[in-house]
């Protein structure tokens, strides 16, 4: 495995670059830009992605350990099967893209923004998502046991399969359709609003 250690990639342009099985250790990728890049089976250890911007870039089956994603942006990126541990996601923004089967268990995602992201079967077990935004996301079949979505914005997201007893939702914002989904998941029978009987003439 190729190892890239301790290098300064500050502000580098990686448009169209391809990396397969590379291990990045203590690399500074602050304000790096990448469009159409591909990382396959790569490992990132204590890499700084601060204010980096990735567009239409793929991180397939990659591992991120102790990385900093402060104010990083992912637009239409694919992170399928990647795993994160001990990472800092402050002000992270993800717009569109496929994060299915991603392991974010136990992640501190307070204030992060996921908009229109596919998170199908992602592992968000015990993830701390208070005040985060998960708007218009596909969270179907995601593992959410013990996750904290207090005061989070979940509007427009697919919450099919969520168990309200296993997830902290106090103060979260949801839409009417989601309210019905959660009520039914809690075993509540939801019926149509009865038509008012007109008063007698």
């Amino acid at each position: 495995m190729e190892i890239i250690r301790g290098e300064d990639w500050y502000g580098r342009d990686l448009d169209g670059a391809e990396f397969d099985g590379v291990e990045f250790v203590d690399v500074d990728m602050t304000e790096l830009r990448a469009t159409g890049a591909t990382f396959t089976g790569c490992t990132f250890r204590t890499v700084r992605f601060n204010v980096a911007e990735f567009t239409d870039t793929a991180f397939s089956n990659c591992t991120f350990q102790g990385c900093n994603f402060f104010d990083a942006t992912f637009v239409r990126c694919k992170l399928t099967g990647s795993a994160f541990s001990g990472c800092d996601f402050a002000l992270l923004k993800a717009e569109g893209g496929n994060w299915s089967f991603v392991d974010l268990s136990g992640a501190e995602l307070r204030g992060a923004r996921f908009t229109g992201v596919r998170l199908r079967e992602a592992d968000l077990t015990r993830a701390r998502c208070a005040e985060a935004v998960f708007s218009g996301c596909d969270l179907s079949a995601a593992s959410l046991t013990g996750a904290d979505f207090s005061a989070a914005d979940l509007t427009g997201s697919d919450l099919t399969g969520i168990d309200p007893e296993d997830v902290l939702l106090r103060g979260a914002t949801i839409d009417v359709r989601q309210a019905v989904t959660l009520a039914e998941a809690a075993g509540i029978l939801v019926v149509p609003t009865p038509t008012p009987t007109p008063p007698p003439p």
Side-chain angles (χ1 to χ4, degrees):
M1 172 183 288
E2 178 184 359
I3 299 178
I4 298 175
R5 185 187 304 272
E7 293 193 8
D8 183 359
W9 286 21
Y10 183 97
R12 184 172 293 193
D13 185 340
L14 294 183
D15 286 2
E18 296 183 8
F19 301 90
D20 192 344
V22 177
E23 183 173 354
F24 298 87
V25 182
D26 296 326
V27 177
D28 185 359
M29 294 189 180
T30 299
E31 295 193 23
L32 179 147
R33 303 289 182 271
T35 299
T38 302
F39 298 84
T40 305
C42 293
T43 299
F44 301 85
R45 304 184 195 277
T46 57
V47 172
R48 293 177 294 285
F49 292 99
N50 303 346
V51 204
E53 294 184 5
F54 297 95
T55 303
D56 297 318
T57 292
F59 295 87
S60 300
N61 299 307
C62 292
T63 300
F64 300 85
Q65 299 175 345
C67 296
N68 194 328
F69 292 93
F70 174 78
D71 204 17
T73 301
F74 293 84
V75 179
R76 298 185 303 277
C77 291
K78 178 181 178 181
L79 285 92
T80 308
S82 292
F84 298 82
S85 62
C87 295
D88 184 348
F89 298 100
L91 301 182
L92 171 79
K93 295 179 289 295
E95 302 171 10
N98 190 348
W99 292 52
S100 297
F101 304 101
V102 165
D103 184 356
L104 286 164
S105 56
E108 175 56 77
L109 294 169
R110 176 183 291 271
R113 298 182 63 89
F114 291 82
T115 307
V117 178
R118 182 179 175 85
L119 286 153
R120 184 173 178 79
E121 297 192 52
D123 188 351
L124 289 163
T125 305
R126 300 182 307 282
R128 298 180 293 279
C129 307
E131 300 177 12
V133 173
F134 286 83
S135 177
C137 295
D138 181 359
L139 288 165
S140 60
S143 298
L144 300 171
T145 302
D148 180 1
F149 286 96
S150 300
D153 181 355
L154 299 171
T155 54
S157 291
D158 186 345
L159 304 180
T160 304
I162 189 173
D163 186 342
E165 295 185 358
D166 290 339
V167 180
L168 187 57
L169 294 168
R170 185 178 181 84
T173 302
I174 60 175
D175 56 41
V176 174
R177 178 184 57 82
Q178 293 170 314
V180 172
T181 297
L182 293 178
E184 291 176 341
I188 299 172
L189 179 62
V190 179
V191 298
T193 304
T195 302
T197 302

